Amino acid sequence: MAGKIVIIFDFDRTLIEDDSDRWVFTRMDLTRLFRDLRPTLPWNSLMDRLLEEMHVLGKSVDDIADCLRGMPLHPSVVSVVKQAHALGCDLKVASDSNQFYIRTILEHYGIYSCFSEIITNPAVLDKGRLRIFPYHGSAAPHGCDLCPSNLCKGRVIEQIQVSLSESESKRLIYVGDGGNDFCPTLKLAAGDFVLPRKDFPLLSRISKNSQLVKSKVCEWNDSEDLAKILGKLIECISNEDKISS
């Protein structure tokens, strides 16, 4: 009955061990420029500006891809993703990173095909350089005060909920760590689960606003812990569905 489970992962510091944006610009020696520009640009525009600088410095898209392939992804997470996919869970990513970074890393670890959807900022190759654009552009602002202007994950969850078949009940599991994972948490129903990372902003916001959260909360500490909890949760939900059917 795992086919009735939809799992939505945040990417940075959730699915992977680190932050993909910071991973790249620190290894491209652009930390100082990042610090200089940080007060002047929103994050999405800042990452696009740093990619422009990489191009000016002669860094190719292949160089960026090689850098991304060094990003740690815990073997336990790789294993549980493969297991969940094999059991029939619908796996998705909702991230403030970008399509190129996520695809490159997931392909490197052999799990890109496990995900039915990657919801993130689009990345395109423009005259030899990588460009990042917002998922929610200025022409159609999402209007959410809880989320950055480029992506409202709460709206993403609502779109997923609408797309689900009305004839078959689905259980959503949302896994995240950051402050921008709070909005999607508020969209989850009573039968759903949110898995916030311990000592990270999402859990803090849930703790301070517990009356607003309808789903069950399962905390996790690190990648190995996440894999164990997710595996047990999939098993538990599947067994519940077997009994009820």
Side-chain angles (χ1 to χ4, degrees):
M1 294 293 183
K4 294 187 176 182
I5 301 171
V6 181
I7 307 174
I8 305 104
F9 293 90
D10 174 45
F11 191 65
D12 295 316
R13 297 196 178 96
T14 297
L15 197 55
I16 60 175
E17 296 277 313
D18 210 316
D19 180 284
S20 56
D21 286 330
R22 292 180 184 274
W23 180 270
V24 172
F25 72 68
T26 56
R27 281 154 182 79
M28 296 293 178
D29 297 322
L30 292 176
T31 302
R32 182 173 180 178
L33 180 61
F34 165 78
R35 289 172 179 167
D36 290 344
L37 295 177
R38 183 68 183 102
T40 68
L41 292 170
W43 187 269
N44 197 242
S45 300
L46 177 54
M47 292 305 106
D48 185 61
R49 173 66 182 85
L50 293 180
L51 286 169
E52 179 184 17
E53 187 67 18
M54 292 177 208
H55 181 66
V56 170
L57 294 173
K59 301 295 184 182
S60 68
V61 174
D62 287 340
D63 292 330
I64 297 171
D66 286 341
C67 177
L68 289 165
R69 293 185 188 107
M71 169 67 71
L73 201 164
H74 199 281
S76 296
V77 173
V78 174
S79 179
V80 78
V81 165
K82 290 180 177 179
Q83 290 171 7
H85 175 67
L87 288 169
C89 296
D90 183 5
L91 309 182
K92 302 177 186 291
V93 172
S95 169
D96 203 23
S97 180
N98 67 77
Q99 191 72 38
F100 181 80
Y101 284 16
I102 295 172
R103 179 166 189 154
T104 300
I105 293 169
L106 296 184
E107 283 185 337
H108 176 66
Y109 285 96
I111 56 174
Y112 180 74
S113 62
C114 293
F115 294 87
S116 66
E117 195 173 10
I118 308 294
I119 304 138
T120 187
N121 301 300
V124 300
L125 196 59
D126 180 18
K127 297 179 181 179
R129 90 163 180 96
L130 195 63
R131 296 216 59 189
I132 308 299
F133 294 95
Y135 181 81
H136 289 130
S138 57
H142 56 67
C144 175
D145 295 333
L146 295 175
C147 296
S149 61
N150 61 289
L151 175 62
C152 173
K153 293 186 181 182
R155 179 170 289 188
V156 168
I157 294 297
E158 289 176 333
Q159 290 170 344
I160 292 172
Q161 290 168 331
V162 169
S163 71
L164 299 177
S165 172
E166 294 183 2
S167 62
E168 185 177 20
S169 176
K170 297 274 187 176
R171 308 283 288 278
L172 269 59
I173 301 174
Y174 188 90
V175 190
D177 70 287
N180 64 344
D181 294 312
F182 183 62
C183 181
T185 295
L186 297 180
K187 307 299 181 181
L188 299 174
D192 297 332
F193 294 83
V194 60
L195 276 58
R197 189 169 188 176
K198 293 179 182 178
D199 301 320
F200 278 76
L202 174 58
L203 181 57
S204 176
R205 297 193 71 171
I206 289 174
S207 299
K208 293 176 182 177
N209 301 275
S210 59
Q211 74 281 3
L212 301 177
V213 178
K214 298 183 286 294
S215 61
K216 297 178 182 178
V217 180
C218 301
E219 303 172 15
W220 57 280
N221 184 51
D222 54 24
S223 295
E224 192 170 359
D225 191 31
L226 171 60
K228 290 178 182 178
I229 291 172
L230 199 53
K232 290 179 181 178
L233 193 53
I234 293 169
E235 182 181 6
C236 180
I237 294 173
S238 298
N239 288 337
E240 286 179 5
D241 288 341
K242 286 178 182 178
I243 294 171
S244 62
S245 61

